Amino acid sequence: MKPFEYTKPKTVREALSSVTKHSHYIAGGTNLVDLMKKQIDEPDKLLDITNTLPDQIEVKDNGVVIGAMVRNTAIAVNKAILESWPLLSKAILKGASPQIRNMASAGGNLLQRTRCPYFYDLTLPCNKRKNGSGCGALKGNNRMGAIIGYSDACVAVHPSDMCVALAALDAKVNIRKADGSEETMNFLDFHRLPGNNPEKDNNLPENALITSIFVPKNNFSKHFEYLKLRDRESYAFALVSVAAALDMDGNQISEARLASGGVAHKPWRWTKAEAFLKGKQATAENFAEAARIAAEDTAPLSTNAFKVPLLKGAIETALHTCLTNKA
């Protein structure tokens, strides 16, 4: 690991004024430290913001505000989250390990980088690590790669579980920019597709800080599921995951939410399938059709075509589970 300077700003203003092109903010460090050890990221200075950003969960009339420094475990076990946003809790508990969840911050979870093996191996080409070097996974070992939303420049997928639930729940990201101004960004606009600039994972302005995440009130606390399919049950990233939530009126679906991880460069919302389900009866036939609608837009790579039937089965299973998995 390259030697670096370490500082601990006391305020957001101090942190914003101290950051430079070759420095990084650090919170839990559960991803950044790995990147530094592997010499993928080599900052000259780290700014420890653990005592700088909000670390509280505040329930409001219209939703909940989760401070950027709230640890993942604290979100997952929070009484208000469990009662009103249980999908978020379930997704978090499917991710990483207890030790990592105890350290990882809410804001940092949004900013974690792909676990594509080509990104982590300095001897292999990777446009995300060095744009212009090529995407080794495009024609190589792309079993874990994307099946939608990718480009010839990058087929990596986003690794987060928490972010899939936040995408399904129409969250918003509150940001403090380098000039001190504030911005709120729709969660669905926060992460990027790779296009020609896969080195950019998200649309966070340069040197800005995530201060909190807002999740609006919803009617999805009674019928929800987070299904994660992976090579092993613990401490593994998703091959395919599905966050599903239904607002039910008897057996009729008033609103549906479907999002997936493990399939794209960003958490992916299946909006066409959601639109199909709205107003429909909650039947096996309609769930199967929603899964078919989602899968028809996919375009698997050379070694991950298995993900398409996996996705269809996961969507159907998650939707069925929504009817029995009551908070």
Side-chain angles (χ1 to χ4, degrees):
M1 184 186 294
K2 172 185 170 182
F4 58 88
E5 179 185 354
Y6 173 87
T7 62
K8 199 164 188 176
K10 295 180 180 179
T11 65
V12 171
R13 178 178 293 181
E14 182 183 347
L16 292 172
S17 64
S18 301
V19 70
T20 65
K21 182 178 180 180
H22 299 292
S23 62
H24 282 323
Y25 302 118
I26 185 169
T30 56
N31 187 203
L32 178 58
V33 173
D34 283 345
L35 296 173
M36 292 171 64
K37 287 179 179 179
K38 292 181 177 295
Q39 299 178 319
I40 296 169
D41 207 333
E42 297 184 295
D44 293 329
K45 180 168 72 171
L46 292 181
L47 290 87
D48 185 338
I49 52 175
T50 52
N51 294 329
T52 303
L53 297 174
D55 62 354
Q56 301 295 317
I57 296 174
E58 183 181 1
V59 178
K60 296 179 175 290
D61 291 340
N62 62 340
V64 63
V65 178
I66 301 168
M69 267 311 306
V70 180
R71 307 293 181 172
N72 285 189
T73 297
I75 303 170
V77 302
N78 180 270
K79 182 179 179 181
I81 298 294
L82 287 167
E83 289 178 353
S84 300
W85 299 273
L87 176 62
L88 179 57
S89 174
K90 189 163 189 177
I92 290 172
L93 292 175
K94 286 289 186 179
S97 66
Q99 296 90 338
I100 290 175
R101 293 194 297 267
N102 287 344
M103 284 298 296
S105 66
N109 192 300
L110 273 60
L111 299 174
Q112 63 180 302
R113 308 212 68 189
T114 185
R115 296 325 195 269
C116 176
Y118 290 85
F119 176 70
Y120 272 83
D121 190 334
L122 295 177
T123 67
L124 298 175
C126 173
N127 286 320
K128 181 173 285 296
R129 194 178 62 246
K130 182 181 179 181
N131 200 0
S133 63
C135 175
L138 181 64
K139 302 295 184 182
N141 180 5
N142 47 42
R143 177 177 179 271
M144 296 288 291
I147 57 174
I148 195 168
Y150 59 85
S151 69
D152 286 349
C154 182
V155 298
V157 299
H158 195 268
S160 173
D161 293 293
M162 184 178 90
C163 287
V164 180
L166 291 173
L169 295 173
D170 293 313
K172 296 181 183 294
V173 185
N174 295 317
I175 296 164
R176 182 74 65 85
K177 295 182 181 180
D179 62 5
S181 63
E182 297 181 346
E183 179 182 348
T184 297
M185 189 179 297
N186 289 330
F187 192 86
L188 294 178
D189 297 327
F190 183 79
H191 296 101
R192 294 168 49 97
L193 293 180
N196 294 320
N197 296 102
E199 74 280 7
K200 297 179 180 179
D201 295 334
N202 55 66
N203 291 309
L204 184 69
E206 187 176 6
N207 296 334
L209 281 168
I210 297 171
T211 55
S212 62
I213 301 162
F214 173 74
V215 188
K217 271 191 172 181
N218 59 66
N219 294 318
F220 300 125
S221 62
K222 292 183 178 179
H223 303 281
F224 64 92
E225 171 65 334
Y226 186 77
L227 179 61
K228 183 177 183 179
L229 303 179
R230 43 188 164 170
D231 288 326
R232 60 179 185 269
E233 182 57 26
S234 176
Y235 199 47
F237 295 97
L239 291 166
V240 168
S241 67
V242 175
L246 300 175
D247 177 12
M248 301 295 297
D249 181 7
N251 195 50
Q252 182 173 317
I253 302 168
S254 299
E255 292 285 345
R257 294 292 183 270
L258 286 171
S260 282
V263 300
H265 195 260
K266 59 184 289 185
W268 194 268
R269 274 281 291 271
W270 304 107
T271 53
K272 291 180 182 179
E274 291 176 358
F276 167 78
L277 287 170
K278 185 174 181 178
K280 299 289 196 307
Q281 294 294 302
T283 65
E285 293 76 16
N286 284 332
F287 291 165
E289 180 62 12
R292 187 199 66 78
I293 290 170
E296 70 181 1
D297 288 334
T298 62
L301 300 164
S302 58
T303 64
N304 70 358
F306 72 94
K307 281 194 175 188
V308 178
L310 201 66
L311 171 67
K312 292 171 68 176
I315 290 175
E316 289 188 59
T317 301
L319 288 170
H320 280 290
T321 307
C322 283
L323 301 181
T324 56
N325 191 20
K326 300 179 181 180

